[in-house]
Coordinates of all heavy atoms in Angstrom, one line a residue:
S1 N 102.9 296.9 40.1 CA 104.0 296.1 39.5 C 104.2 296.5 38.0 O 103.3 297.0 37.4 CB 103.7 294.6 39.6 OG 102.7 294.3 38.7
F2 N 105.4 296.4 37.6 CA 105.7 296.7 36.2 C 105.1 295.6 35.3 O 105.1 294.4 35.6 CB 107.2 296.7 36.0 CG 107.9 298.0 36.1 CD1 108.7 298.3 37.2 CD2 107.6 299.0 35.1 CE1 109.3 299.5 37.3 CE2 108.2 300.2 35.2 CZ 109.0 300.5 36.3
E3 N 104.6 296.0 34.2 CA 104.1 295.1 33.2 C 105.2 295.1 32.1 O 105.9 296.0 31.9 CB 102.8 295.5 32.6 CG 101.7 295.4 33.6 CD 100.3 295.6 33.0 OE1 100.2 295.4 31.8 OE2 99.4 296.0 33.7
V4 N 105.3 293.9 31.4 CA 106.3 293.8 30.4 C 106.2 294.9 29.3 O 107.2 295.4 28.9 CB 106.2 292.4 29.7 CG1 107.1 292.2 28.5 CG2 106.5 291.3 30.7
A5 N 105.0 295.2 28.9 CA 104.8 296.2 27.9 C 105.3 297.6 28.4 O 105.9 298.3 27.6 CB 103.3 296.4 27.5
E6 N 105.2 297.9 29.6 CA 105.7 299.1 30.2 C 107.2 299.2 30.2 O 107.8 300.2 29.8 CB 105.2 299.3 31.6 CG 105.5 300.7 32.2 CD 105.0 300.9 33.6 OE1 104.1 300.1 34.0 OE2 105.4 301.8 34.3
L7 N 107.8 298.0 30.5 CA 109.3 297.9 30.5 C 109.8 298.1 29.0 O 110.7 298.8 28.8 CB 109.7 296.6 31.1 CG 109.6 296.5 32.6 CD1 109.8 295.1 33.0 CD2 110.5 297.4 33.3
L8 N 109.1 297.3 28.1 CA 109.6 297.4 26.7 C 109.4 298.8 26.1 O 110.2 299.2 25.2 CB 108.8 296.3 25.9 CG 109.2 294.9 26.2 CD1 108.3 293.9 25.5 CD2 110.7 294.6 25.9
A9 N 108.4 299.5 26.5 CA 108.2 300.8 26.0 C 109.3 301.8 26.3 O 109.6 302.8 25.6 CB 106.9 301.4 26.6
R10 N 110.1 301.5 27.4 CA 111.2 302.3 27.7 C 112.5 302.0 26.9 O 113.4 302.8 26.9 CB 111.6 302.1 29.2 CG 110.5 302.6 30.1 CD 110.8 302.2 31.6 NE 109.8 302.8 32.4 CZ 110.0 303.6 33.5 NH1 111.3 303.9 33.8 NH2 109.1 304.0 34.2
V11 N 112.4 301.0 26.2 CA 113.6 300.6 25.3 C 113.5 301.2 23.9 O 112.4 301.2 23.4 CB 113.6 299.0 25.2 CG1 114.7 298.6 24.3 CG2 113.8 298.4 26.6
D12 N 114.6 301.7 23.4 CA 114.6 302.2 22.1 C 114.0 301.2 21.1 O 114.2 300.0 21.2 CB 116.1 302.5 21.7 CG 116.3 303.0 20.3 OD1 116.0 304.1 20.0 OD2 116.6 302.1 19.4
A13 N 113.2 301.8 20.1 CA 112.5 300.9 19.2 C 113.4 299.9 18.4 O 113.1 298.7 18.3 CB 111.7 301.8 18.2
D14 N 114.6 300.4 17.9 CA 115.5 299.4 17.2 C 116.0 298.4 18.2 O 116.1 297.2 17.8 CB 116.6 300.2 16.6 CG 116.2 301.1 15.4 OD1 115.2 300.7 14.8 OD2 116.9 302.0 15.1
D15 N 116.4 298.8 19.4 CA 116.9 297.8 20.4 C 115.8 296.8 20.8 O 116.0 295.6 20.9 CB 117.4 298.5 21.6 CG 118.6 299.4 21.3 OD1 119.2 299.3 20.2 OD2 119.0 300.1 22.2
R16 N 114.5 297.3 20.9 CA 113.4 296.5 21.3 C 113.1 295.4 20.2 O 112.9 294.3 20.5 CB 112.2 297.4 21.5 CG 110.9 296.6 21.9 CD 109.8 297.5 22.4 NE 109.4 298.5 21.3 CZ 109.5 299.8 21.5 NH1 110.0 300.3 22.6 NH2 109.1 300.6 20.5
K17 N 113.3 295.8 18.9 CA 113.1 294.9 17.8 C 114.0 293.7 17.9 O 113.7 292.6 17.8 CB 113.2 295.6 16.5 CG 113.0 294.8 15.3 CD 113.1 295.6 14.0 CE 112.6 294.9 12.8 NZ 112.6 295.7 11.6
V18 N 115.3 294.0 18.2 CA 116.3 293.0 18.3 C 116.0 292.1 19.5 O 116.1 290.9 19.5 CB 117.7 293.7 18.4 CG1 118.8 292.6 18.8 CG2 118.1 294.3 17.1
L19 N 115.7 292.8 20.6 CA 115.3 292.0 21.8 C 114.2 291.0 21.6 O 114.2 289.9 22.1 CB 115.0 293.0 23.0 CG 114.9 292.5 24.4 CD1 116.3 292.1 24.8 CD2 114.3 293.5 25.3
M20 N 113.2 291.5 20.9 CA 112.0 290.6 20.6 C 112.4 289.4 19.7 O 112.0 288.3 20.0 CB 110.9 291.4 20.0 CG 110.4 292.5 20.9 SD 109.7 292.0 22.4 CE 108.1 291.3 21.8
L21 N 113.3 289.7 18.8 CA 113.7 288.6 17.9 C 114.5 287.6 18.7 O 114.4 286.4 18.5 CB 114.5 289.1 16.7 CG 113.8 289.9 15.7 CD1 114.7 290.6 14.7 CD2 112.8 289.0 14.9
K22 N 115.3 288.1 19.6 CA 116.1 287.2 20.5 C 115.3 286.3 21.4 O 115.4 285.1 21.5 CB 117.1 288.0 21.2 CG 117.9 287.3 22.3 CD 118.9 286.4 21.7 CE 119.8 285.8 22.9 NZ 120.5 284.6 22.4
Y23 N 114.4 287.0 22.2 CA 113.7 286.3 23.3 C 112.3 285.8 23.0 O 111.8 284.9 23.6 CB 113.7 287.2 24.5 CG 115.1 287.4 25.1 CD1 115.8 288.5 24.9 CD2 115.8 286.3 25.7 CE1 117.1 288.7 25.4 CE2 117.1 286.4 26.2 CZ 117.7 287.6 26.0 OH 119.0 287.7 26.5
V24 N 111.7 286.4 22.0 CA 110.3 285.9 21.6 C 110.4 284.9 20.5 O 109.8 283.9 20.5 CB 109.4 287.1 21.3 CG1 108.0 286.6 20.8 CG2 109.2 288.0 22.5
Q25 N 111.2 285.3 19.5 CA 111.3 284.4 18.3 C 112.4 283.3 18.5 O 112.5 282.4 17.7 CB 111.7 285.2 17.1 CG 110.6 286.2 16.7 CD 109.3 285.6 16.3 OE1 109.3 284.5 15.7 NE2 108.2 286.2 16.7
G26 N 113.3 283.5 19.5 CA 114.3 282.6 19.8 C 115.5 282.5 18.8 O 116.2 281.5 18.7
M27 N 115.7 283.7 18.1 CA 116.8 283.7 17.1 C 118.1 283.9 17.8 O 118.2 284.6 18.9 CB 116.5 284.8 16.2 CG 115.2 284.6 15.3 SD 114.8 286.0 14.3 CE 116.1 285.9 13.0
T28 N 119.2 283.5 17.2 CA 120.5 283.7 17.6 C 121.0 285.1 17.2 O 120.3 285.7 16.3 CB 121.5 282.7 17.1 OG1 121.6 282.9 15.7 CG2 121.1 281.3 17.4
A29 N 122.0 285.6 17.7 CA 122.6 286.9 17.3 C 122.9 286.9 15.8 O 122.7 287.9 15.1 CB 123.8 287.3 18.2
A30 N 123.5 285.8 15.4 CA 123.9 285.7 14.0 C 122.6 285.7 13.1 O 122.6 286.3 12.0 CB 124.6 284.4 13.7
E31 N 121.6 285.0 13.5 CA 120.3 285.0 12.7 C 119.7 286.4 12.6 O 119.2 286.9 11.6 CB 119.3 284.0 13.3 CG 119.7 282.6 13.1 CD 118.9 281.6 13.9 OE1 118.3 282.0 15.0 OE2 118.8 280.4 13.5
I32 N 119.7 287.1 13.8 CA 119.2 288.5 13.8 C 120.0 289.4 12.9 O 119.4 290.2 12.1 CB 119.1 289.0 15.3 CG1 118.2 288.1 16.1 CG2 118.7 290.5 15.3 CD1 118.3 288.4 17.6
G33 N 121.3 289.3 13.0 CA 122.2 290.1 12.2 C 121.9 289.9 10.7 O 121.9 290.8 9.9
S34 N 121.7 288.6 10.3 CA 121.5 288.3 8.9 C 120.1 288.9 8.5 O 120.0 289.5 7.4 CB 121.5 286.8 8.8 OG 121.1 286.4 7.4
R35 N 119.1 288.7 9.3 CA 117.8 289.2 9.0 C 117.7 290.7 8.9 O 117.1 291.3 8.0 CB 116.7 288.8 10.0 CG 115.4 289.4 9.7 CD 114.3 289.0 10.7 NE 113.7 287.7 10.3 CZ 112.7 287.2 10.9 NH1 112.1 287.8 11.9 NH2 112.2 286.1 10.5
L36 N 118.4 291.4 9.8 CA 118.4 292.9 9.9 C 119.6 293.5 9.1 O 119.7 294.8 9.2 CB 118.3 293.4 11.3 CG 117.1 292.9 12.1 CD1 117.2 293.4 13.5 CD2 115.8 293.3 11.5
R37 N 120.4 292.7 8.6 CA 121.6 293.2 7.9 C 122.5 294.1 8.7 O 122.8 295.2 8.4 CB 121.2 293.9 6.6 CG 120.5 293.0 5.6 CD 120.3 293.7 4.3 NE 119.7 292.8 3.3 CZ 118.5 292.7 3.0 NH1 117.6 293.4 3.5 NH2 118.1 291.8 2.0
M38 N 122.9 293.5 9.9 CA 123.8 294.3 10.8 C 124.8 293.3 11.4 O 124.5 292.1 11.5 CB 123.0 295.0 11.9 CG 122.3 294.2 12.9 SD 121.5 295.1 14.2 CE 120.3 296.1 13.4
P39 N 126.0 293.8 11.7 CA 127.0 292.9 12.3 C 126.5 292.3 13.6 O 125.7 292.9 14.4 CB 128.2 293.9 12.6 CG 127.9 295.1 11.7 CD 126.4 295.2 11.6
V40 N 127.0 291.1 13.9 CA 126.6 290.4 15.1 C 127.0 291.2 16.4 O 126.2 291.2 17.3 CB 127.3 289.0 15.2 CG1 127.1 288.3 16.5 CG2 126.8 288.1 14.0
G41 N 128.1 291.9 16.3 CA 128.5 292.7 17.5 C 127.5 293.8 17.7 O 127.2 294.2 18.9
T42 N 126.9 294.4 16.7 CA 125.8 295.4 16.8 C 124.6 294.8 17.5 O 124.0 295.4 18.4 CB 125.5 296.1 15.5 OG1 126.7 296.6 15.0 CG2 124.4 297.1 15.6
V43 N 124.2 293.6 17.0 CA 123.1 292.9 17.6 C 123.3 292.7 19.1 O 122.4 293.0 19.9 CB 122.9 291.6 16.9 CG1 121.8 290.7 17.6 CG2 122.5 291.8 15.4
T44 N 124.5 292.2 19.4 CA 124.8 291.9 20.8 C 124.8 293.2 21.7 O 124.2 293.2 22.8 CB 126.2 291.3 20.9 OG1 126.2 290.1 20.1 CG2 126.5 290.9 22.4
S45 N 125.3 294.3 21.1 CA 125.3 295.6 21.8 C 123.8 296.0 22.0 O 123.5 296.6 23.1 CB 126.0 296.6 21.0 OG 127.4 296.3 21.0
K46 N 123.0 295.9 21.0 CA 121.6 296.3 21.2 C 120.9 295.5 22.2 O 120.1 296.0 23.0 CB 120.9 296.2 19.8 CG 121.3 297.3 18.8 CD 120.5 297.2 17.5 CE 120.8 298.3 16.6 NZ 120.3 299.6 17.1
I47 N 121.1 294.2 22.3 CA 120.5 293.3 23.3 C 121.0 293.8 24.7 O 120.2 293.9 25.6 CB 120.9 291.9 23.1 CG1 120.1 291.4 21.8 CG2 120.5 291.0 24.3 CD1 120.6 290.0 21.3
C48 N 122.3 294.0 24.9 CA 122.8 294.4 26.2 C 122.3 295.8 26.6 O 121.9 295.9 27.7 CB 124.3 294.5 26.1 SG 125.1 292.9 26.0
R49 N 122.2 296.7 25.7 CA 121.6 298.0 26.0 C 120.2 297.9 26.4 O 119.7 298.5 27.4 CB 121.8 298.9 24.8 CG 121.5 300.4 25.0 CD 121.8 301.3 23.9 NE 121.7 300.8 22.6 CZ 122.7 300.6 21.7 NH1 123.9 300.8 22.1 NH2 122.4 300.1 20.5
A50 N 119.4 297.1 25.7 CA 118.0 297.0 26.0 C 117.8 296.3 27.4 O 117.0 296.8 28.2 CB 117.3 296.1 24.9
L51 N 118.6 295.3 27.7 CA 118.5 294.7 29.0 C 118.9 295.6 30.1 O 118.3 295.6 31.2 CB 119.3 293.4 29.0 CG 118.8 292.3 28.1 CD1 119.8 291.1 28.1 CD2 117.4 291.8 28.5
E52 N 119.9 296.5 29.8 CA 120.3 297.4 30.9 C 119.2 298.4 31.1 O 118.9 298.8 32.3 CB 121.6 298.1 30.5 CG 122.1 299.1 31.6 CD 122.2 298.4 33.0 OE1 122.6 297.3 33.1 OE2 121.8 299.1 33.9
V53 N 118.5 298.9 30.1 CA 117.4 299.8 30.3 C 116.3 299.1 31.2 O 115.7 299.8 32.1 CB 116.8 300.3 28.9 CG1 115.4 301.0 29.1 CG2 117.8 301.2 28.2
I54 N 116.0 297.9 30.9 CA 115.0 297.2 31.6 C 115.4 297.0 33.1 O 114.6 297.2 34.0 CB 114.7 295.8 30.9 CG1 113.9 296.1 29.6 CG2 113.8 294.9 31.9 CD1 113.8 294.9 28.7
R55 N 116.7 296.6 33.3 CA 117.2 296.4 34.6 C 117.1 297.7 35.4 O 116.7 297.7 36.6 CB 118.6 295.9 34.6 CG 118.8 294.4 34.2 CD 120.2 294.0 34.3 NE 120.4 292.7 33.7 CZ 121.0 292.6 32.5 NH1 121.6 293.6 31.9 NH2 121.1 291.4 32.0
A56 N 117.5 298.8 34.8 CA 117.5 300.1 35.5 C 116.1 300.5 35.9 O 115.8 301.0 36.9 CB 118.1 301.2 34.6
S57 N 115.1 300.2 35.0 CA 113.7 300.5 35.3 C 113.2 299.7 36.4 O 112.5 300.2 37.3 CB 112.9 300.2 34.0 OG 113.2 301.1 33.0
V58 N 113.6 298.4 36.5 CA 113.1 297.6 37.6 C 113.8 298.1 38.9 O 113.1 298.1 39.9 CB 113.5 296.1 37.3 CG1 113.2 295.2 38.5 CG2 112.6 295.6 36.1
R59 N 115.1 298.4 38.9 CA 115.7 298.9 40.1 C 115.1 300.2 40.5 O 114.8 300.4 41.7 CB 117.2 299.2 39.8 CG 118.1 297.9 39.9 CD 119.6 298.3 39.9 NE 120.0 299.0 38.7 CZ 120.5 298.5 37.6 NH1 120.6 297.2 37.5 NH2 120.8 299.2 36.6
E60 N 114.8 301.1 39.6 CA 114.2 302.4 39.9 C 112.8 302.2 40.6 O 112.5 302.8 41.6 CB 114.0 303.2 38.7 CG 113.3 304.5 38.9 CD 113.1 305.2 37.5 OE1 114.1 305.3 36.8 OE2 112.0 305.7 37.3
K61 N 112.0 301.3 40.0 CA 110.7 301.0 40.6 C 110.9 300.4 42.0 O 110.1 300.8 42.9 CB 110.0 300.0 39.7 CG 108.7 299.5 40.2 CD 107.6 300.5 40.2 CE 106.3 299.9 40.6 NZ 105.2 300.9 40.7
G62 N 111.8 299.5 42.2 CA 112.1 299.0 43.5 C 112.5 300.0 44.6 O 112.0 300.0 45.7
Q63 N 113.3 300.9 44.2 CA 113.8 302.0 45.0 C 112.6 302.9 45.5 O 112.5 303.3 46.6 CB 114.9 302.8 44.4 CG 116.2 302.1 44.3 CD 117.2 302.8 43.5 OE1 116.9 303.8 42.8 NE2 118.4 302.3 43.5
R64 N 111.7 303.2 44.5 CA 110.6 304.1 44.8 C 109.7 303.4 45.8 O 109.1 304.0 46.7 CB 109.8 304.5 43.6 CG 110.5 305.5 42.7 CD 109.6 306.2 41.7 NE 108.9 305.2 40.9 CZ 109.2 304.9 39.7 NH1 110.2 305.4 39.1 NH2 108.5 304.0 39.0
R65 N 109.5 302.1 45.6 CA 108.6 301.3 46.5 C 109.2 301.3 47.9 O 108.5 301.4 48.9 CB 108.5 299.8 46.0 CG 107.6 299.0 46.8 CD 107.5 297.5 46.4 NE 108.8 297.0 46.1 CZ 109.6 296.4 47.1 NH1 109.2 296.4 48.3 NH2 110.8 295.9 46.8
D66 N 110.6 301.0 48.0 CA 111.2 301.0 49.3 C 111.1 302.4 50.0 O 110.9 302.4 51.2 CB 112.7 300.7 49.1 CG 112.9 299.2 48.7 OD1 112.0 298.4 48.8 OD2 114.1 298.9 48.3
E67 N 111.2 303.5 49.3 CA 111.1 304.8 49.9 C 109.6 305.0 50.4 O 109.5 305.5 51.5 CB 111.4 305.9 48.8 CG 112.9 306.0 48.5 CD 113.2 306.9 47.3 OE1 112.2 307.6 46.8 OE2 114.3 306.9 46.9
R68 N 108.6 304.5 49.7 CA 107.3 304.7 50.2 C 107.0 303.8 51.4 O 106.4 304.2 52.3 CB 106.3 304.2 49.1 CG 106.1 305.3 48.0 CD 104.9 305.0 47.1 NE 104.9 303.6 46.6 CZ 105.4 303.2 45.4 NH1 106.0 304.0 44.6 NH2 105.3 301.9 45.1
M69 N 107.7 302.6 51.4 CA 107.5 301.7 52.6 C 108.1 302.4 53.9 O 107.6 302.2 55.0 CB 108.1 300.4 52.3 CG 107.4 299.6 51.2 SD 105.7 299.2 51.6 CE 105.8 298.1 52.9
R70 N 109.2 303.1 53.7 CA 109.9 303.7 54.8 C 109.1 304.8 55.4 O 109.2 305.2 56.6 CB 111.3 304.2 54.4 CG 112.3 303.2 54.4 CD 113.7 303.7 54.2 NE 114.3 302.9 53.2 CZ 114.7 303.4 52.0 NH1 114.6 304.6 51.7 NH2 115.2 302.6 51.1
Q71 N 108.2 305.4 54.6 CA 107.4 306.5 55.1 C 106.1 306.1 55.9 O 105.5 306.9 56.5 CB 106.9 307.4 53.9 CG 108.1 308.1 53.2 CD 107.7 308.8 51.9 OE1 106.5 308.7 51.5 NE2 108.6 309.5 51.3
I72 N 105.8 304.8 55.8 CA 104.7 304.3 56.6 C 105.0 304.2 58.1 O 106.1 303.6 58.4 CB 104.3 302.9 56.1 CG1 103.8 303.0 54.6 CG2 103.2 302.3 56.9 CD1 103.5 301.7 53.9
P73 N 104.2 304.9 58.9 CA 104.6 304.9 60.4 C 104.4 303.5 61.0 O 103.7 302.7 60.6 CB 103.6 305.9 60.9 CG 102.6 306.2 59.9 CD 103.1 305.7 58.6

């Protein structure tokens, strides 16, 4: 199974920082933008991009598992 650290390692460092502020610290996009001195739209884009990387990684892992299961006689 995927561990959270493994998934987060696949995310760009800047995007990961924004994601952690959002979901670990519970900050809003506006708060993150203010702290990191970036527009709210950029914060939102970074969050979306990070989540897409994580989703793709989970899908990829699931597909590999399914392929291995099909090979079992």
Side-chain angles (χ1 to χ4, degrees):
S1 75
F2 267 110
E3 292 189 23
V4 173
E6 185 178 349
L7 290 170
L8 290 173
R10 293 176 178 233
V11 176
D12 174 77
D14 289 336
D15 295 350
R16 184 171 53 244
K17 182 176 189 175
V18 171
L19 194 69
M20 298 300 284
L21 290 171
K22 170 74 174 163
Y23 292 106
V24 175
Q25 299 296 322
M27 296 174 73
T28 66
E31 292 169 333
I32 296 167
S34 178
R35 177 182 273 189
L36 300 179
R37 295 186 174 102
M38 67 176 62
V40 173
T42 302
V43 171
T44 304
S45 293
K46 288 181 172 295
I47 292 168
C48 289
R49 187 170 39 245
L51 291 175
E52 183 52 40
V53 168
I54 291 169
R55 286 184 194 108
S57 297
V58 170
R59 279 193 300 268
E60 178 184 310
K61 175 71 173 174
Q63 289 172 351
R64 287 196 308 259
R65 182 185 49 84
D66 290 348
E67 289 170 6
R68 285 193 309 270
M69 294 301 289
R70 280 189 227 115
Q71 294 174 355
I72 296 175

